[in-house]
Amino acid sequence: MAASSSVNAAQAIVGLAVSSHGSHSADRVAVPAGGFALSSLAGRSLTCSHSPRFQQQRRCPRQASRAARRAAPARAAAVETLEAAATEALVEKSINTIRFLAIDAVEKANSGHPGLPMGCAPMGHILYDEVMRYNPKNPYWFNRDRFVLSAGHGCMLQYALLHLAGYDSVQMEDIKQFRQWGSRTPGHPENFETPGVEVTTGPLGQGVANAVGLALAERHLAARFNKPDNEIVDHYTYVILGDGCQMEGIANEACSIAGHWGLGKLIAFYDDNHISIDGDTEIAFTEDVSARFDALGWHTIWVKNGNTGYDDIRAAIMEAKAVKDKPTLIKVTTTIGYGSPNKANSYSVHGSALGAKEVDATRQNLGWPYEPFHVPEDIKSHWSRHVAEGASLEAEWNAKFAEYEKKYKEDAAELKAIVSGELPAGWEKALPTYTPESPADATRNLSQQNLNALAKVLPGLLGGSADLASSNMTLLKMFGDFQKGTPEERNVRFGVREHGMGAICNGIALHSPGLLPYCATFFVFTDYMRAAIRISALCEAGVIYVMTHDSIGLGEDGPTHQPIEHLISFRAMPNILMLRPADGNETAGAYKVAVLNRKRPSVLALSRQKLPQLAGTSIEGVEKGGYIVSDNSSGNKPDLILMGTGSELEIAAKAADELRKTGKTVRVVSLVCWELFEEQSDEYKESVLPAAVTAKISIEAGATLGWEKYVGGKGKAIGIDRFGASAPAGRIYKEFGITADSIITAAKSL
Amino acid sequence: MAASSSVNAAQAIVGLAVSSHGSHSADRVAVPAGGFALSSLAGRSLTCSHSPRFQQQRRCPRQASRAARRAAPARAAAVETLEAAATEALVEKSINTIRFLAIDAVEKANSGHPGLPMGCAPMGHILYDEVMRYNPKNPYWFNRDRFVLSAGHGCMLQYALLHLAGYDSVQMEDIKQFRQWGSRTPGHPENFETPGVEVTTGPLGQGVANAVGLALAERHLAARFNKPDNEIVDHYTYVILGDGCQMEGIANEACSIAGHWGLGKLIAFYDDNHISIDGDTEIAFTEDVSARFDALGWHTIWVKNGNTGYDDIRAAIMEAKAVKDKPTLIKVTTTIGYGSPNKANSYSVHGSALGAKEVDATRQNLGWPYEPFHVPEDIKSHWSRHVAEGASLEAEWNAKFAEYEKKYKEDAAELKAIVSGELPAGWEKALPTYTPESPADATRNLSQQNLNALAKVLPGLLGGSADLASSNMTLLKMFGDFQKGTPEERNVRFGVREHGMGAICNGIALHSPGLLPYCATFFVFTDYMRAAIRISALCEAGVIYVMTHDSIGLGEDGPTHQPIEHLISFRAMPNILMLRPADGNETAGAYKVAVLNRKRPSVLALSRQKLPQLAGTSIEGVEKGGYIVSDNSSGNKPDLILMGTGSELEIAAKAADELRKTGKTVRVVSLVCWELFEEQSDEYKESVLPAAVTAKISIEAGATLGWEKYVGGKGKAIGIDRFGASAPAGRIYKEFGITADSIITAAKSL
């Protein structure tokens, strides 16, 4: 089937145009820069929700919308109609290709979610074929538009699009291996498995918050680096989210702050299909979503016919791009499982294969005569231009960057570091050092000294707190606040939105390898953001979690604010570093480790209370995870080994002093990061914690579970296996027995 | 200072009236039933937000509002004015008493949050003195109005109110011991410490979600038990939340579903003071909160002068009560730290003592000549009536219940069980039992059999899932959905709102001892609701968490959906039971334990995949937490002990069969609930896991950390210390080595 080679009017105005299909030449239609060509349309509301003039529902997708035609260059009306119809037929065929790739892959795996890809194929096609700027052969090209499928269960939509667009990561064989062991097409989108996937989604609401982070990164970098004559940073962030994402609190958190920041280049498609797993959303979700987004400061648009109203989708994107001071929510009303005659619009098409019979019926219904996994030649040919176009887009940008580099040398170097992720040589020399004579201080304050020292040498360091900046001590003193009017600044004010904060930082981290986001709250409130922290670990986002008030040492706020089980709960989480530094040197060590681990997030547990600078602590020690802080034994045979972390290392050191006075040989070990210690050689571990020494005592103001690993069957773990209490910190330490006396008593009993 | 004894017009219309002050007689003004007397005002918008006619800001609180006067009984205007002025002076004095109790307590503790109590004292006074129905001498009276301070850091507001109202739990000595070891006035409100406090707040957003649960409980019980001639269940739920709560995603989740349910007797006061810890809310929170609540289906009202506009507050409550089909948000614009000349309206008054100098200045400014902690006699006298009134309210209700019992015997018995928390005799006989011949089944399905069996005998069992009912298998087949039009039903549809769901269940559980809420999602998504689950554990809410898809056994959905570190993370949490049953009998045992533990929540980890009914499992075994499932040794000296939980117990049993064939004596132990096992006697524990046997192997499809405790230094823990993968379940089990072969190999190596 042949299709017209001309540019559809509506397509032309969206951004990318359809080049001569069938030709593999590199001739490209000029691409307007980042939507600026559309500014003449700013302010024209095409399908604004709540507006009565958009109540009509069109059912004739092949006819280009009047709005689109008005915006098109003048040409002979008859020719236009013919061409548009032919192109639109190709578009519909492409959309059905996407639908059937999803249907067939889910059917073969007998597992997955066909409903969303079938309903969202039109917006997916328009985004990847007509709107987005990317280079399939370099999925990591810096200035690409970002796309996030927040409704990650619909991942076959994204795999189909990546395949059609020419990404090497999703070959036909990968699609056929959907959800199988070792495939690049896992059950939810995973950036670490599939180049072209930006973030890891599936747990609902995470993706839209990641998208806010991606958009924040773009806004920040654009403000820092763009020049009047060279807008070197310039891309959009698109996200598709469903009813499930909309119900999640994290989505509201992230969208509220996105509205506050006015992230105009964030464009969200809300797949409004009225179906969730339990059935019609009527049973649990009847709020007015668009009105809520209006309240959050977003621009909102409603596309009432997302199934076949292609021009409405295009017009909505055009409108969204024209609104530069607000993010846009395009509510796209779709039918889940569109095309399936018996299962569309029901929960049964959400998360199960259609079944052979219904697949056949859907083929019939949508007029799809092909074998499973077939991509028609004209569709292949149509999409094939993206490889050449993508290469040109990147080449163009590279040329632009070369210009930039000539004119703005320092900025270019900084931007290059952010793009590449290369750390500046000698950056670690900025880390502060301490001696036992340095004043006692809370590790949260020492953390701030580190952050401020690092901000001078790491151009990608930015972050902030969930409304506890003055408690978490996270302000970078040389910078102002990242705000709508000052997006070039680096102190991010997240508000009391811990969960959103974590996911936004994941987005920032995954935007560019050189961006180092940190975020902060009280350690106990990692419970609020645990799902986002887990995604950091899984998706290899090297976020730095600055978690202060890390124990009963916070005192009077009481058990709701005192972490107990949190250290062990992160030690058990894969691919994350749980660091609990004891003083200045260990805090510096923790930051060194956190900065170096760009594919593994770090959680720093920091004290509210003052702690002395201990003799024997070191950055190098922290890098090993566990090390000897002091010892008066020889031959690796102390009478007793005392282990501690963070604020309790001081107590262990005191107890050791007392016990040594009685003639004992006592070793004090800091186990500041269990994960790093486990990575050391057996020899090293034995040199620190010899198996032959059974008198081992640990002390930590947290749950004892897990410490059996180090104290062994004959040792003793001193800790807290109950909730905390509201009282001055010293009193709680005493009442709970987190004292040198407890260690001495335990030592006598061993 | 003397005040008029007559009833203020505005007060009279709100609900409770001021009785002859100074008299300690039990003569009470008749109390209109649950706001029904106000129905004539329904639909009259007094201060509806977004309405231009409420743009004026009144600054003369002593003058009763015109609206209030119109509603008052006719009387001579001159007398009315005088009396109103005198009464209003007393009200202001009472409000200042609250403010200074908070100021003085924080000052003495040199720790705490004076700002909110100073700003919210007016609404606090009006609620506890004029509006709410409670019995201070029985804080657990069933039909009391519930009050939740969601902004829990402002707890001195609540302590001051409980003290004035005559609760025994907060004596003056307790206020002086604010935030001290062992006091009943901890740093945040804790129901388990302070009778009169309904729930435990502090972690922001939890309280408003608890309040939704309390209001749901009232709505449900009223629909089930009220009769046209006897509305035996009838109370309001009030909540104060601040900017911090409003930013939290959990609050949006809970308020969205509250709007959906149309909980008309939920009235929320939003303390709109524009200040959070980081400063002005302008830096991170600029959304239109009232418009968001409109979108969520709430009725919204704006009181523009919450500092002195007492009549506006009263009128707003009246209006809120008149709206019966929607919850109401009253946005009350206040000044944080109202009265402090130099610190009001700044973050410095949020979370720190004012300091002696500023306390003096505030005394001057508010005209407060008294010593710290002084409650003027006329204020004591004024509030003293609540003891007698409360007793009468309860007596009246008891009489009403006696009537009810006569006429509606069965309903009365059921309601009594819910009110008292007494479990029906022999309820546990309803638990299903299984034999090894019973068909293999997923524990999620077995869980549903238990839920449905229990629903027949436990009148307080109700709950549901976060949009995964058909995956979590949580539907009670004999009941319909709890919805706006059918609130008497017991299947609750929470939508995709895990965090809100958990906190709502906490509210339900704490509403009445006989309410047994359960809630469900995939086990991995406990990460979304961990903060609420922790509060369940802390506040002793016996919620049952039905967590299915508990391992890599869920297969294709992949690592985002596969829990790894979750079992250990709950085992480390205080006061919660982590149960992982292996088959039908163990699932029944888990439910028996969960139902019996009314002050300790239970997390049930359940399989997606089918599991065989094992020989040797039992309900009694589960009650001990760990027990011998099979053994071919004698003298408590097996060659090898294999331990497993849940779906891996089957694998341990299979490996044991193989190993026994080789002549070994092998014991298989189910460690279904570590917490219960730890509570057994040392003798019992030794009889199950003898110390002398060092060849111990555990197998569990989760993190190995923590298992050292049971396998010991010479044993081996088989588990998963990495993220999962997307593939069919059997394949992942094999690839990860969670197999009988792995056990056999390990056994040979020991």
Side-chain angles (χ1 to χ4, degrees), chain B residues 257-280:
Chain B
I257 194 73
H260 171 79
W261 287 330
L263 298 175
K265 288 163 89 173
L266 172 61
I267 300 176
F269 297 80
Y270 162 36
D271 176 28
D272 168 49
N273 65 28
H274 283 280
I275 297 293
S276 67
I277 294 176
D278 276 356
D280 196 293

mmCIF file of all heavy atoms in Angstrom, chain B residues 257-280:
data_model
loop_
_atom_site.group_PDB
_atom_site.id
_atom_site.type_symbol
_atom_site.label_atom_id
_atom_site.label_comp_id
_atom_site.label_asym_id
_atom_site.label_seq_id
_atom_site.Cartn_x
_atom_site.Cartn_y
_atom_site.Cartn_z
ATOM 1 N N ILE B 257 -10.605 10.015 47.886
ATOM 2 C CA ILE B 257 -11.556 8.928 48.118
ATOM 3 C C ILE B 257 -12.661 9.375 49.087
ATOM 4 O O ILE B 257 -13.814 8.948 48.961
ATOM 5 C CB ILE B 257 -10.829 7.637 48.576
ATOM 6 C CG1 ILE B 257 -11.741 6.407 48.503
ATOM 7 C CG2 ILE B 257 -10.240 7.762 49.955
ATOM 8 C CD1 ILE B 257 -12.033 5.921 47.116
ATOM 9 N N ALA B 258 -12.335 10.271 50.010
ATOM 10 C CA ALA B 258 -13.372 10.799 50.918
ATOM 11 C C ALA B 258 -14.414 11.573 50.126
ATOM 12 O O ALA B 258 -15.618 11.491 50.409
ATOM 13 C CB ALA B 258 -12.738 11.688 51.985
ATOM 14 N N GLY B 259 -13.945 12.316 49.126
ATOM 15 C CA GLY B 259 -14.878 13.032 48.264
ATOM 16 C C GLY B 259 -15.745 12.065 47.474
ATOM 17 O O GLY B 259 -16.954 12.247 47.340
ATOM 18 N N HIS B 260 -15.107 11.023 46.966
ATOM 19 C CA HIS B 260 -15.842 9.986 46.229
ATOM 20 C C HIS B 260 -16.918 9.354 47.103
ATOM 21 O O HIS B 260 -18.044 9.133 46.655
ATOM 22 C CB HIS B 260 -14.860 8.928 45.742
ATOM 23 C CG HIS B 260 -15.505 7.710 45.162
ATOM 24 N ND1 HIS B 260 -16.021 7.678 43.885
ATOM 25 C CD2 HIS B 260 -15.748 6.488 45.697
ATOM 26 C CE1 HIS B 260 -16.543 6.481 43.650
ATOM 27 N NE2 HIS B 260 -16.392 5.743 44.731
ATOM 28 N N TRP B 261 -16.557 9.080 48.344
ATOM 29 C CA TRP B 261 -17.519 8.441 49.249
ATOM 30 C C TRP B 261 -18.574 9.421 49.781
ATOM 31 O O TRP B 261 -19.560 8.996 50.385
ATOM 32 C CB TRP B 261 -16.782 7.789 50.425
ATOM 33 C CG TRP B 261 -16.027 6.539 50.065
ATOM 34 C CD1 TRP B 261 -16.345 5.639 49.086
ATOM 35 C CD2 TRP B 261 -14.829 6.043 50.674
ATOM 36 N NE1 TRP B 261 -15.417 4.616 49.058
ATOM 37 C CE2 TRP B 261 -14.479 4.833 50.013
ATOM 38 C CE3 TRP B 261 -14.007 6.500 51.719
ATOM 39 C CZ2 TRP B 261 -13.349 4.085 50.366
ATOM 40 C CZ3 TRP B 261 -12.888 5.758 52.060
ATOM 41 C CH2 TRP B 261 -12.562 4.562 51.391
ATOM 42 N N GLY B 262 -18.315 10.719 49.608
ATOM 43 C CA GLY B 262 -19.272 11.709 50.093
ATOM 44 C C GLY B 262 -19.443 11.697 51.604
ATOM 45 O O GLY B 262 -20.568 11.726 52.113
ATOM 46 N N LEU B 263 -18.318 11.666 52.317
ATOM 47 C CA LEU B 263 -18.377 11.570 53.786
ATOM 48 C C LEU B 263 -18.765 12.918 54.393
ATOM 49 O O LEU B 263 -17.911 13.715 54.795
ATOM 50 C CB LEU B 263 -17.028 11.086 54.325
ATOM 51 C CG LEU B 263 -16.597 9.683 53.849
ATOM 52 C CD1 LEU B 263 -15.199 9.341 54.348
ATOM 53 C CD2 LEU B 263 -17.607 8.636 54.294
ATOM 54 N N GLY B 264 -20.051 13.154 54.456
ATOM 55 C CA GLY B 264 -20.578 14.467 54.847
ATOM 56 C C GLY B 264 -20.281 14.873 56.277
ATOM 57 O O GLY B 264 -20.321 16.057 56.601
ATOM 58 N N LYS B 265 -19.985 13.909 57.129
ATOM 59 C CA LYS B 265 -19.739 14.275 58.531
ATOM 60 C C LYS B 265 -18.251 14.397 58.840
ATOM 61 O O LYS B 265 -17.839 14.373 59.990
ATOM 62 C CB LYS B 265 -20.448 13.290 59.454
ATOM 63 C CG LYS B 265 -21.967 13.528 59.398
ATOM 64 C CD LYS B 265 -22.758 12.373 59.953
ATOM 65 C CE LYS B 265 -22.960 12.550 61.445
ATOM 66 N NZ LYS B 265 -23.882 11.500 61.956
ATOM 67 N N LEU B 266 -17.468 14.526 57.791
ATOM 68 C CA LEU B 266 -16.031 14.804 57.947
ATOM 69 C C LEU B 266 -15.817 16.287 57.682
ATOM 70 O O LEU B 266 -16.156 16.785 56.605
ATOM 71 C CB LEU B 266 -15.227 13.958 56.953
ATOM 72 C CG LEU B 266 -13.720 14.250 56.843
ATOM 73 C CD1 LEU B 266 -12.995 14.014 58.167
ATOM 74 C CD2 LEU B 266 -13.097 13.403 55.735
ATOM 75 N N ILE B 267 -15.307 16.972 58.672
ATOM 76 C CA ILE B 267 -15.091 18.417 58.550
ATOM 77 C C ILE B 267 -13.624 18.712 58.854
ATOM 78 O O ILE B 267 -13.142 18.473 59.960
ATOM 79 C CB ILE B 267 -16.023 19.194 59.506
ATOM 80 C CG1 ILE B 267 -17.493 18.883 59.154
ATOM 81 C CG2 ILE B 267 -15.740 20.692 59.439
ATOM 82 C CD1 ILE B 267 -18.509 19.509 60.086
ATOM 83 N N ALA B 268 -12.940 19.210 57.837
ATOM 84 C CA ALA B 268 -11.497 19.458 57.963
ATOM 85 C C ALA B 268 -11.216 20.947 58.010
ATOM 86 O O ALA B 268 -11.784 21.715 57.222
ATOM 87 C CB ALA B 268 -10.760 18.822 56.788
ATOM 88 N N PHE B 269 -10.382 21.329 58.937
ATOM 89 C CA PHE B 269 -9.929 22.722 59.028
ATOM 90 C C PHE B 269 -8.515 22.781 58.478
ATOM 91 O O PHE B 269 -7.623 22.125 59.009
ATOM 92 C CB PHE B 269 -9.906 23.187 60.492
ATOM 93 C CG PHE B 269 -11.254 23.196 61.135
ATOM 94 C CD1 PHE B 269 -11.812 22.021 61.622
ATOM 95 C CD2 PHE B 269 -11.979 24.366 61.242
ATOM 96 C CE1 PHE B 269 -13.065 22.017 62.212
ATOM 97 C CE2 PHE B 269 -13.231 24.371 61.823
ATOM 98 C CZ PHE B 269 -13.790 23.196 62.309
ATOM 99 N N TYR B 270 -8.364 23.551 57.448
ATOM 100 C CA TYR B 270 -7.025 23.716 56.874
ATOM 101 C C TYR B 270 -6.427 24.993 57.449
ATOM 102 O O TYR B 270 -6.874 26.089 57.143
ATOM 103 C CB TYR B 270 -7.135 23.749 55.347
ATOM 104 C CG TYR B 270 -5.948 24.331 54.603
ATOM 105 C CD1 TYR B 270 -4.643 24.137 55.048
ATOM 106 C CD2 TYR B 270 -6.137 25.050 53.430
ATOM 107 C CE1 TYR B 270 -3.565 24.669 54.369
ATOM 108 C CE2 TYR B 270 -5.071 25.583 52.720
ATOM 109 C CZ TYR B 270 -3.783 25.398 53.211
ATOM 110 O OH TYR B 270 -2.714 25.935 52.528
ATOM 111 N N ASP B 271 -5.446 24.817 58.303
ATOM 112 C CA ASP B 271 -4.773 25.950 58.937
ATOM 113 C C ASP B 271 -3.853 26.602 57.914
ATOM 114 O O ASP B 271 -2.692 26.233 57.775
ATOM 115 C CB ASP B 271 -3.970 25.459 60.153
ATOM 116 C CG ASP B 271 -3.172 26.585 60.797
ATOM 117 O OD1 ASP B 271 -3.610 27.745 60.695
ATOM 118 O OD2 ASP B 271 -2.103 26.296 61.375
ATOM 119 N N ASP B 272 -4.413 27.549 57.228
ATOM 120 C CA ASP B 272 -3.727 28.201 56.106
ATOM 121 C C ASP B 272 -2.899 29.359 56.649
ATOM 122 O O ASP B 272 -3.347 30.499 56.669
ATOM 123 C CB ASP B 272 -4.816 28.676 55.124
ATOM 124 C CG ASP B 272 -4.293 29.617 54.055
ATOM 125 O OD1 ASP B 272 -3.275 29.290 53.425
ATOM 126 O OD2 ASP B 272 -4.922 30.684 53.852
ATOM 127 N N ASN B 273 -1.697 29.047 57.135
ATOM 128 C CA ASN B 273 -0.893 30.121 57.739
ATOM 129 C C ASN B 273 0.294 30.554 56.877
ATOM 130 O O ASN B 273 1.086 31.397 57.290
ATOM 131 C CB ASN B 273 -0.457 29.748 59.166
ATOM 132 C CG ASN B 273 0.488 28.564 59.213
ATOM 133 O OD1 ASN B 273 1.239 28.299 58.262
ATOM 134 N ND2 ASN B 273 0.477 27.835 60.318
ATOM 135 N N HIS B 274 0.404 29.925 55.717
ATOM 136 C CA HIS B 274 1.423 30.364 54.745
ATOM 137 C C HIS B 274 2.855 30.179 55.188
ATOM 138 O O HIS B 274 3.774 30.682 54.528
ATOM 139 C CB HIS B 274 1.224 31.843 54.368
ATOM 140 C CG HIS B 274 0.114 32.045 53.407
ATOM 141 N ND1 HIS B 274 0.252 31.824 52.066
ATOM 142 C CD2 HIS B 274 -1.164 32.409 53.615
ATOM 143 C CE1 HIS B 274 -0.900 32.066 51.478
ATOM 144 N NE2 HIS B 274 -1.789 32.406 52.388
ATOM 145 N N ILE B 275 3.067 29.432 56.296
ATOM 146 C CA ILE B 275 4.438 29.244 56.770
ATOM 147 C C ILE B 275 4.704 27.752 56.939
ATOM 148 O O ILE B 275 3.890 27.043 57.533
ATOM 149 C CB ILE B 275 4.652 29.949 58.136
ATOM 150 C CG1 ILE B 275 4.474 31.464 58.010
ATOM 151 C CG2 ILE B 275 6.033 29.612 58.713
ATOM 152 C CD1 ILE B 275 5.516 32.165 57.173
ATOM 153 N N SER B 276 5.793 27.278 56.398
ATOM 154 C CA SER B 276 6.250 25.941 56.747
ATOM 155 C C SER B 276 7.695 26.069 57.215
ATOM 156 O O SER B 276 8.206 27.186 57.342
ATOM 157 C CB SER B 276 6.091 24.974 55.577
ATOM 158 O OG SER B 276 6.954 25.327 54.534
ATOM 159 N N ILE B 277 8.342 24.965 57.512
ATOM 160 C CA ILE B 277 9.653 25.060 58.159
ATOM 161 C C ILE B 277 10.641 25.856 57.320
ATOM 162 O O ILE B 277 11.430 26.631 57.849
ATOM 163 C CB ILE B 277 10.188 23.645 58.466
ATOM 164 C CG1 ILE B 277 9.286 22.997 59.522
ATOM 165 C CG2 ILE B 277 11.632 23.698 58.959
ATOM 166 C CD1 ILE B 277 9.637 21.563 59.847
ATOM 167 N N ASP B 278 10.572 25.687 56.022
ATOM 168 C CA ASP B 278 11.535 26.383 55.178
ATOM 169 C C ASP B 278 11.191 27.852 54.933
ATOM 170 O O ASP B 278 11.921 28.557 54.240
ATOM 171 C CB ASP B 278 11.694 25.666 53.835
ATOM 172 C CG ASP B 278 12.695 24.506 53.941
ATOM 173 O OD1 ASP B 278 13.293 24.337 55.020
ATOM 174 O OD2 ASP B 278 12.871 23.774 52.957
ATOM 175 N N GLY B 279 10.065 28.308 55.462
ATOM 176 C CA GLY B 279 9.717 29.717 55.299
ATOM 177 C C GLY B 279 8.328 29.868 54.726
ATOM 178 O O GLY B 279 7.434 29.069 54.988
ATOM 179 N N ASP B 280 8.154 30.898 53.915
ATOM 180 C CA ASP B 280 6.850 31.154 53.318
ATOM 181 C C ASP B 280 6.498 30.035 52.339
ATOM 182 O O ASP B 280 7.361 29.561 51.595
ATOM 183 C CB ASP B 280 6.884 32.506 52.596
ATOM 184 C CG ASP B 280 5.492 33.024 52.296
ATOM 185 O OD1 ASP B 280 4.794 32.397 51.461
ATOM 186 O OD2 ASP B 280 5.101 34.028 52.907
#
